[in-house]
CSV table of all heavy atoms in Angstrom, one decimal:
chain,number,residue,atom,x,y,z
A,8,ARG,N,-12.4,20.8,-23.5
A,8,ARG,CA,-11.5,20.5,-22.3
A,8,ARG,C,-10.2,20.0,-22.8
A,8,ARG,O,-9.9,19.8,-24.0
A,8,ARG,CB,-12.2,19.4,-21.5
A,8,ARG,CG,-12.5,18.1,-22.2
A,8,ARG,CD,-12.9,17.0,-21.2
A,8,ARG,NE,-12.0,16.8,-20.2
A,8,ARG,CZ,-12.2,16.0,-19.2
A,8,ARG,NH1,-13.3,15.4,-19.0
A,8,ARG,NH2,-11.2,15.8,-18.2
A,9,ALA,N,-9.3,19.7,-21.9
A,9,ALA,CA,-8.0,19.1,-22.2
A,9,ALA,C,-7.8,17.8,-21.4
A,9,ALA,O,-8.5,17.7,-20.3
A,9,ALA,CB,-6.9,20.1,-21.8
A,10,SER,N,-6.9,17.0,-21.8
A,10,SER,CA,-6.6,15.8,-21.1
A,10,SER,C,-5.9,16.2,-19.7
A,10,SER,O,-5.1,17.1,-19.7
A,10,SER,CB,-5.7,14.9,-21.9
A,10,SER,OG,-5.1,13.9,-21.1
A,11,GLU,N,-6.3,15.5,-18.6
A,11,GLU,CA,-5.7,15.8,-17.3
A,11,GLU,C,-5.2,14.5,-16.7
A,11,GLU,O,-5.2,14.3,-15.5
A,11,GLU,CB,-6.7,16.5,-16.4
A,11,GLU,CG,-7.1,17.9,-16.8
A,11,GLU,CD,-8.1,18.6,-15.9
A,11,GLU,OE1,-8.1,18.2,-14.7
A,11,GLU,OE2,-8.8,19.4,-16.4
A,12,GLY,N,-4.7,13.6,-17.6
A,12,GLY,CA,-4.1,12.3,-17.1
A,12,GLY,C,-3.1,11.8,-18.1
A,12,GLY,O,-3.1,12.3,-19.3
A,13,LYS,N,-2.3,10.9,-17.7
A,13,LYS,CA,-1.3,10.4,-18.6
A,13,LYS,C,-1.4,8.8,-18.7
A,13,LYS,O,-2.0,8.2,-17.8
A,13,LYS,CB,0.1,10.8,-18.2
A,13,LYS,CG,0.5,10.5,-16.8
A,13,LYS,CD,1.8,11.1,-16.5
A,13,LYS,CE,2.2,11.0,-15.0
A,13,LYS,NZ,3.4,11.7,-14.6
A,14,THR,N,-0.8,8.3,-19.7
A,14,THR,CA,-0.7,6.8,-19.9
A,14,THR,C,0.7,6.4,-19.7
A,14,THR,O,1.6,6.9,-20.3
A,14,THR,CB,-1.3,6.5,-21.3
A,14,THR,OG1,-2.6,6.9,-21.4
A,14,THR,CG2,-1.2,5.0,-21.5
A,15,VAL,N,0.9,5.3,-18.9
A,15,VAL,CA,2.2,4.8,-18.6
A,15,VAL,C,2.2,3.3,-18.7
A,15,VAL,O,1.1,2.7,-18.7
A,15,VAL,CB,2.8,5.3,-17.2
A,15,VAL,CG1,2.8,6.8,-17.1
A,15,VAL,CG2,1.9,4.7,-16.1
A,16,GLU,N,3.4,2.7,-18.7
A,16,GLU,CA,3.5,1.3,-18.5
A,16,GLU,C,4.1,1.0,-17.1
A,16,GLU,O,5.2,1.5,-16.8
A,16,GLU,CB,4.3,0.6,-19.6
A,16,GLU,CG,4.4,-0.9,-19.4
A,16,GLU,CD,5.3,-1.5,-20.5
A,16,GLU,OE1,4.7,-1.8,-21.6
A,16,GLU,OE2,6.5,-1.8,-20.3
A,17,VAL,N,3.5,0.2,-16.3
A,17,VAL,CA,4.0,-0.2,-15.0
A,17,VAL,C,4.6,-1.7,-15.2
A,17,VAL,O,4.1,-2.4,-16.0
A,17,VAL,CB,3.0,-0.1,-13.9
A,17,VAL,CG1,2.5,1.3,-13.8
A,17,VAL,CG2,1.8,-1.0,-14.2
A,18,PRO,N,5.5,-2.0,-14.3
A,18,PRO,CA,6.0,-3.4,-14.4
A,18,PRO,C,4.9,-4.4,-14.1
A,18,PRO,O,4.1,-4.2,-13.2
A,18,PRO,CB,7.1,-3.4,-13.3
A,18,PRO,CG,7.5,-2.0,-13.1
A,18,PRO,CD,6.3,-1.2,-13.4
A,19,TYR,N,4.9,-5.6,-14.7
A,19,TYR,CA,4.0,-6.6,-14.4
A,19,TYR,C,4.4,-7.2,-13.0
A,19,TYR,O,5.6,-7.5,-12.8
A,19,TYR,CB,4.1,-7.7,-15.4
A,19,TYR,CG,3.3,-9.0,-15.0
A,19,TYR,CD1,1.9,-9.0,-15.1
A,19,TYR,CD2,4.0,-10.1,-14.6
A,19,TYR,CE1,1.2,-10.1,-14.7
A,19,TYR,CE2,3.3,-11.3,-14.2
A,19,TYR,CZ,1.9,-11.3,-14.3
A,19,TYR,OH,1.2,-12.4,-13.9
A,20,ARG,N,3.4,-7.4,-12.1
A,20,ARG,CA,3.8,-7.7,-10.7
A,20,ARG,C,3.1,-8.9,-10.2
A,20,ARG,O,3.2,-9.2,-9.0
A,20,ARG,CB,3.4,-6.5,-9.8
A,20,ARG,CG,4.1,-5.2,-10.2
A,20,ARG,CD,3.4,-4.0,-9.7
A,20,ARG,NE,3.6,-3.9,-8.2
A,20,ARG,CZ,3.0,-2.9,-7.5
A,20,ARG,NH1,2.2,-2.1,-8.0
A,20,ARG,NH2,3.3,-2.9,-6.2
A,21,GLY,N,2.5,-9.7,-11.1
A,21,GLY,CA,1.9,-11.0,-10.6
A,21,GLY,C,0.6,-10.7,-9.7
A,21,GLY,O,0.0,-9.7,-9.8
A,22,PRO,N,0.3,-11.7,-8.9
A,22,PRO,CA,-0.9,-11.6,-8.0
A,22,PRO,C,-0.7,-10.4,-7.1
A,22,PRO,O,0.4,-10.1,-6.6
A,22,PRO,CB,-0.9,-12.9,-7.3
A,22,PRO,CG,-0.1,-13.8,-8.1
A,22,PRO,CD,1.0,-13.0,-8.7
A,23,VAL,N,-1.9,-9.8,-6.7
A,23,VAL,CA,-1.9,-8.6,-5.8
A,23,VAL,C,-1.6,-9.1,-4.4
A,23,VAL,O,-1.3,-8.2,-3.5
A,23,VAL,CB,-3.2,-7.9,-5.9
A,23,VAL,CG1,-4.3,-8.7,-5.1
A,23,VAL,CG2,-3.1,-6.5,-5.3
A,24,GLU,N,-1.6,-10.4,-4.1
A,24,GLU,CA,-1.4,-10.9,-2.8
A,24,GLU,C,-0.1,-10.4,-2.2
A,24,GLU,O,0.0,-9.9,-1.0
A,24,GLU,CB,-1.3,-12.4,-2.8
A,24,GLU,CG,-1.1,-13.1,-1.5
A,24,GLU,CD,-2.4,-13.1,-0.6
A,24,GLU,OE1,-3.5,-12.9,-1.2
A,24,GLU,OE2,-2.2,-13.3,0.6
A,25,GLY,N,1.0,-10.4,-2.9
A,25,GLY,CA,2.3,-10.0,-2.4
A,25,GLY,C,2.3,-8.5,-2.1
A,25,GLY,O,2.9,-8.1,-1.1
A,26,THR,N,1.7,-7.7,-2.9
A,26,THR,CA,1.6,-6.2,-2.6
A,26,THR,C,0.8,-5.9,-1.4
A,26,THR,O,1.2,-5.1,-0.6
A,26,THR,CB,1.1,-5.5,-3.9
A,26,THR,OG1,2.0,-5.6,-5.0
A,26,THR,CG2,0.9,-4.0,-3.6
A,27,MET,N,-0.3,-6.7,-1.2
A,27,MET,CA,-1.1,-6.5,0.0
A,27,MET,C,-0.3,-6.8,1.2
A,27,MET,O,-0.4,-6.2,2.3
A,27,MET,CB,-2.4,-7.3,-0.1
A,27,MET,CG,-3.4,-6.7,-1.1
A,27,MET,SD,-3.9,-5.0,-0.6
A,27,MET,CE,-4.7,-5.3,1.0
A,28,GLN,N,0.5,-7.9,1.1
A,28,GLN,CA,1.4,-8.2,2.3
A,28,GLN,C,2.3,-7.1,2.6
A,28,GLN,O,2.6,-6.8,3.8
A,28,GLN,CB,2.1,-9.5,2.0
A,28,GLN,CG,2.9,-10.0,3.2
A,28,GLN,CD,3.5,-11.4,3.0
A,28,GLN,OE1,3.1,-12.1,2.1
A,28,GLN,NE2,4.5,-11.7,3.8
A,29,GLU,N,2.9,-6.5,1.6
A,29,GLU,CA,3.8,-5.4,1.8
A,29,GLU,C,3.1,-4.2,2.4
A,29,GLU,O,3.6,-3.5,3.4
A,29,GLU,CB,4.5,-4.9,0.5
A,29,GLU,CG,5.5,-5.8,-0.1
A,29,GLU,CD,6.2,-5.2,-1.3
A,29,GLU,OE1,5.8,-4.1,-1.7
A,29,GLU,OE2,7.0,-5.9,-1.9
A,30,LEU,N,1.9,-3.8,1.9
A,30,LEU,CA,1.2,-2.7,2.4
A,30,LEU,C,0.8,-2.9,3.9
A,30,LEU,O,1.0,-2.0,4.7
A,30,LEU,CB,0.0,-2.4,1.5
A,30,LEU,CG,0.3,-2.0,0.1
A,30,LEU,CD1,-1.0,-2.0,-0.7
A,30,LEU,CD2,0.8,-0.6,0.1
A,31,MET,N,0.2,-4.0,4.1
A,31,MET,CA,-0.3,-4.3,5.5
A,31,MET,C,0.9,-4.5,6.5
A,31,MET,O,0.8,-4.0,7.6
A,31,MET,CB,-1.2,-5.5,5.5
A,31,MET,CG,-2.5,-5.3,4.7
A,31,MET,SD,-3.5,-6.8,4.6
A,31,MET,CE,-4.4,-6.6,6.1
A,32,GLY,N,1.9,-5.1,6.0
A,32,GLY,CA,3.1,-5.2,6.8
A,32,GLY,C,3.8,-3.9,7.1
A,32,GLY,O,4.3,-3.7,8.3
A,33,GLY,N,3.8,-3.0,6.2
A,33,GLY,CA,4.4,-1.7,6.4
A,33,GLY,C,3.6,-0.9,7.5
A,33,GLY,O,4.2,-0.3,8.4
A,34,VAL,N,2.3,-1.0,7.4
A,34,VAL,CA,1.4,-0.3,8.4
A,34,VAL,C,1.6,-1.0,9.8
A,34,VAL,O,1.8,-0.3,10.8
A,34,VAL,CB,-0.1,-0.4,8.0
A,34,VAL,CG1,-1.0,0.1,9.1
A,34,VAL,CG2,-0.3,0.4,6.7
A,35,ARG,N,1.7,-2.3,9.8
A,35,ARG,CA,1.9,-3.0,11.1
A,35,ARG,C,3.3,-2.5,11.7
A,35,ARG,O,3.3,-2.3,12.9
A,35,ARG,CB,1.9,-4.5,10.9
A,35,ARG,CG,0.6,-5.1,10.7
A,35,ARG,CD,0.7,-6.7,10.8
A,35,ARG,NE,-0.6,-7.3,10.5
A,35,ARG,CZ,-1.0,-7.7,9.3
A,35,ARG,NH1,-0.1,-7.7,8.3
A,35,ARG,NH2,-2.2,-8.3,9.1
A,36,SER,N,4.3,-2.5,10.9
A,36,SER,CA,5.6,-2.1,11.4
A,36,SER,C,5.6,-0.6,11.9
A,36,SER,O,6.1,-0.3,13.0
A,36,SER,CB,6.6,-2.2,10.3
A,36,SER,OG,7.9,-2.0,10.8
A,37,ALA,N,4.9,0.3,11.2
A,37,ALA,CA,4.8,1.7,11.7
A,37,ALA,C,4.1,1.7,13.0
A,37,ALA,O,4.5,2.5,13.9
A,37,ALA,CB,4.0,2.5,10.6
A,38,MET,N,3.1,0.9,13.2
A,38,MET,CA,2.3,0.9,14.5
A,38,MET,C,3.2,0.5,15.6
A,38,MET,O,3.1,1.0,16.7
A,38,MET,CB,1.1,0.0,14.3
A,38,MET,CG,0.0,0.6,13.4
A,38,MET,SD,-1.3,-0.6,13.0
A,38,MET,CE,-2.1,-0.8,14.6
A,39,THR,N,4.1,-0.5,15.4
A,39,THR,CA,5.0,-0.9,16.5
A,39,THR,C,6.0,0.2,16.8
A,39,THR,O,6.4,0.3,18.0
A,39,THR,CB,5.8,-2.2,16.1
A,39,THR,OG1,6.6,-2.0,15.0
A,39,THR,CG2,4.8,-3.3,15.7
A,40,TYR,N,6.4,1.0,15.8
A,40,TYR,CA,7.4,2.1,16.1
A,40,TYR,C,6.8,3.2,17.0
A,40,TYR,O,7.5,3.9,17.7
A,40,TYR,CB,7.8,2.7,14.8
A,40,TYR,CG,9.0,2.1,14.1
A,40,TYR,CD1,8.9,1.3,13.0
A,40,TYR,CD2,10.3,2.2,14.7
A,40,TYR,CE1,10.0,0.7,12.4
A,40,TYR,CE2,11.4,1.6,14.1
A,40,TYR,CZ,11.2,0.8,13.0
A,40,TYR,OH,12.3,0.3,12.4
A,41,ILE,N,5.4,3.3,16.9
A,41,ILE,CA,4.8,4.4,17.7
A,41,ILE,C,3.9,3.8,18.9
A,41,ILE,O,3.3,4.6,19.6
A,41,ILE,CB,4.0,5.3,16.9
A,41,ILE,CG1,2.8,4.6,16.1
A,41,ILE,CG2,4.9,6.0,15.8
A,41,ILE,CD1,1.9,5.5,15.3
A,42,GLY,N,3.9,2.5,19.0
A,42,GLY,CA,3.2,1.9,20.2
A,42,GLY,C,1.7,1.9,20.0
A,42,GLY,O,1.0,1.9,21.0
A,43,ALA,N,1.2,1.8,18.8
A,43,ALA,CA,-0.2,1.7,18.5
A,43,ALA,C,-0.7,0.3,18.4
A,43,ALA,O,-0.3,-0.4,17.4
A,43,ALA,CB,-0.6,2.5,17.3
A,44,VAL,N,-1.5,-0.2,19.3
A,44,VAL,CA,-1.9,-1.6,19.3
A,44,VAL,C,-3.0,-1.7,18.2
A,44,VAL,O,-3.1,-2.7,17.5
A,44,VAL,CB,-2.4,-2.0,20.6
A,44,VAL,CG1,-3.0,-3.5,20.6
A,44,VAL,CG2,-1.3,-1.9,21.7
A,45,ARG,N,-3.9,-0.8,18.1
A,45,ARG,CA,-5.0,-0.8,17.1
A,45,ARG,C,-4.8,0.4,16.1
A,45,ARG,O,-4.3,1.4,16.5
A,45,ARG,CB,-6.3,-0.7,17.9
A,45,ARG,CG,-6.6,-1.9,18.7
A,45,ARG,CD,-8.0,-1.8,19.4
A,45,ARG,NE,-8.0,-0.7,20.4
A,45,ARG,CZ,-7.6,-0.7,21.6
A,45,ARG,NH1,-7.1,-1.9,22.1
A,45,ARG,NH2,-7.6,0.3,22.4
A,46,LEU,N,-5.3,0.2,14.9
A,46,LEU,CA,-5.2,1.2,13.9
A,46,LEU,C,-5.8,2.5,14.2
A,46,LEU,O,-5.3,3.5,13.9
A,46,LEU,CB,-5.7,0.6,12.5
A,46,LEU,CG,-5.5,1.5,11.3
A,46,LEU,CD1,-4.0,1.7,11.1
A,46,LEU,CD2,-6.1,0.8,10.1
A,47,LYS,N,-6.9,2.4,15.0
A,47,LYS,CA,-7.6,3.7,15.3
A,47,LYS,C,-6.8,4.5,16.3
A,47,LYS,O,-7.0,5.7,16.4
A,47,LYS,CB,-9.0,3.4,15.9
A,47,LYS,CG,-9.0,2.9,17.3
A,47,LYS,CD,-10.4,2.8,17.8
A,47,LYS,CE,-10.5,2.5,19.3
A,47,LYS,NZ,-11.9,2.5,19.8
A,48,GLU,N,-5.7,4.0,16.9
A,48,GLU,CA,-4.9,4.7,17.8
A,48,GLU,C,-3.8,5.5,17.1
A,48,GLU,O,-3.2,6.4,17.7
A,48,GLU,CB,-4.2,3.8,18.8
A,48,GLU,CG,-5.1,3.0,19.7
A,48,GLU,CD,-4.4,1.9,20.5
A,48,GLU,OE1,-3.2,1.9,20.4
A,48,GLU,OE2,-5.1,1.1,21.1
């Protein structure tokens, strides 16, 4: 076989708490743009 992945260095980002806030906040904002009260909508 051959390798099918690569190795990189990503910036150190501290606790995952901040990233989760960004991810969940982005989804919430998208929902307000399309008028979806619940995620399943």
